[in-house]
Amino acid sequence: MGALSFFLGIDVKQTRDGFYLTQHRYAEDILEHARMMSCKPVAMPIDAKGKLNADGPAVDDAHSYRSLVGTLQYLTMTQPNIAFVVQQVCLHKHDPRMPHLALLKCILRYTGFSFAHR
């Protein structure tokens, strides 16, 4: 079968010191699916001073929102730095509002930034 190099969206690279796991390709697939490949990246996934507003109009496509949230949850396996903000958008999967979608898009922009600067 050969050496393990890609499994379940995770790139595996073996070195003398062990294994290096990354989800760079998976993150690119998420951005492509969200039609955000050419988005302007941000250096921080959330406004540290602001509070997530639970009000606002409902998102047009709640199914798409939930799908993107799920893909980001899987991405936290190799990017634990986004775990907190992903958990924040997960709290609103049952009734996503426009502020939640804005945060979701910000996380996606940060994901693009973090992989571009590695």
Side-chain angles (χ1 to χ4, degrees):
M1 289 176 52
L4 179 64
S5 63
F6 189 76
F7 184 70
L8 296 175
I10 301 172
D11 286 299
V12 180
K13 293 182 179 143
Q14 186 172 2
T15 66
R16 285 187 301 156
D17 300 324
F19 291 94
Y20 177 73
L21 306 176
T22 182
Q23 289 178 296
H24 183 90
R25 281 193 272 177
Y26 183 74
E28 285 179 347
D29 289 345
I30 294 170
L31 291 171
E32 189 173 316
H33 174 73
R35 296 183 183 104
M36 293 184 66
M37 282 297 287
S38 60
C39 68
K40 182 179 177 187
V42 295
M44 197 159 142
I46 191 170
D47 177 11
K49 297 176 184 170
K51 184 179 179 204
L52 185 59
N53 190 351
D55 298 330
V59 298
D60 293 334
D61 187 359
H63 175 74
S64 179
Y65 176 90
R66 290 182 193 105
S67 176
L68 285 170
V69 168
T71 60
L72 287 173
Q73 282 182 298
Y74 189 66
L75 188 62
T76 62
M77 288 181 14
T78 59
Q79 262 197 290
N81 56 323
I82 64 169
F84 175 76
V85 292
V86 170
Q87 183 263 344
Q88 294 300 302
V89 293
C90 284
L91 292 174
H92 303 282
K93 286 194 301 188
H94 64 286
D95 186 25
R97 301 291 171 164
M98 292 308 285
H100 311 138
L101 181 61
L103 177 58
L104 178 65
K105 288 182 177 182
C106 190
I107 298 168
L108 291 168
R109 291 173 59 202
Y110 173 76
T111 300
F113 172 84
S114 64
F115 279 112
H117 290 86
R118 282 192 177 178

